[in-house]
Amino acid sequence: MSDIIEAYLKKVLGQDERVEIRRSEMANRFNCVPSQINYVINTRFTVQQGYLVESKRGGGGYIRIIKVKLIDEAEMLDMMIDIVGNKITQKNACSIIERLFETEMLTKREANIMLSVMEKSLLNADGIIENELRARLLVAFLNNLKYE
């Protein structure tokens, strides 16, 4: 169900740079609970994946999804470096790498190499240390891309 909802929203976003939805209307459309809509938006429309999500609660509430357009590659890389910060989970690191591949800033081979270095089994450390080490590695990759 999540894949279907995601595909629908991305299809709408393909026609427009933003979509505004009402959670309850989407739940009715797809015959699911509103929390399913939240799950899709929270996991598949993140900043790491190139989307901004705004929401307003209440009777006239909405959820607005905006596909981010960046001026140039350097700006995109700076934004990603800011997102990474001092620590990042494997899932979020993979989302960033996938976004770089989708925007053709990385070849498939480069993306696969980066993904392999982000593996939990490779870093094999405590959760906090692992996420900090992953962040350092990812920031080094991003900086290398920026100044190449």
Side-chain angles (χ1 to χ4, degrees), residues 1-146:
M1 180 58 69
S2 295
D3 292 339
I4 294 168
I5 296 168
E6 175 188 15
Y8 170 79
L9 290 171
K10 285 186 175 178
K11 182 180 176 187
V12 173
L13 282 165
Q15 300 164 356
D16 220 346
E17 292 299 313
R18 71 176 11 185
V19 63
E20 195 169 295
I21 60 169
R22 291 198 177 357
R23 197 173 53 149
S24 59
E25 290 174 11
M26 287 290 292
N28 288 336
R29 173 183 287 252
F30 292 101
N31 196 25
C32 66
V33 294
S35 62
Q36 180 77 34
I37 305 300
N38 280 352
Y39 170 79
V40 171
I41 291 168
N42 291 335
T43 59
R44 305 193 184 189
F45 294 90
T46 65
V47 172
Q48 294 93 332
Q49 295 161 329
Y51 299 95
L52 289 177
V53 177
E54 302 171 350
S55 63
K56 179 181 176 234
R57 297 189 177 261
Y62 60 83
I63 297 173
R64 183 179 298 142
I65 304 170
I66 304 166
K67 189 161 178 88
V68 176
K69 272 191 167 179
L70 297 171
I71 295 171
D72 60 18
E73 290 181 0
E75 183 181 341
M76 180 175 180
L77 292 168
D78 283 337
M79 183 187 82
M80 288 182 173
I81 289 168
D82 288 342
I83 290 168
V84 172
N86 294 327
K87 57 186 171 183
I88 190 166
T89 64
Q90 181 178 346
K91 179 182 174 190
N92 287 337
C94 290
S95 292
I96 288 174
I97 295 165
E98 288 167 8
R99 177 77 173 137
L100 292 169
F101 175 71
E102 288 169 2
T103 58
E104 299 179 356
M105 291 177 66
L106 292 178
T107 64
K108 184 174 184 158
R109 184 169 190 268
E110 292 167 335
N112 284 332
I113 291 169
M114 288 178 71
L115 288 170
S116 70
V117 174
M118 298 293 117
E119 285 289 324
K120 183 178 190 85
S121 60
L122 175 70
L123 301 176
N124 198 18
D126 295 344
I128 294 172
I129 296 169
E130 170 194 330
N131 290 343
E132 290 172 1
L133 181 56
R134 185 179 294 111
R136 288 184 203 156
L137 290 168
L138 187 54
V139 167
F141 281 131
L142 295 170
N143 277 321
N144 189 307
L145 286 173
K146 193 166 122 181

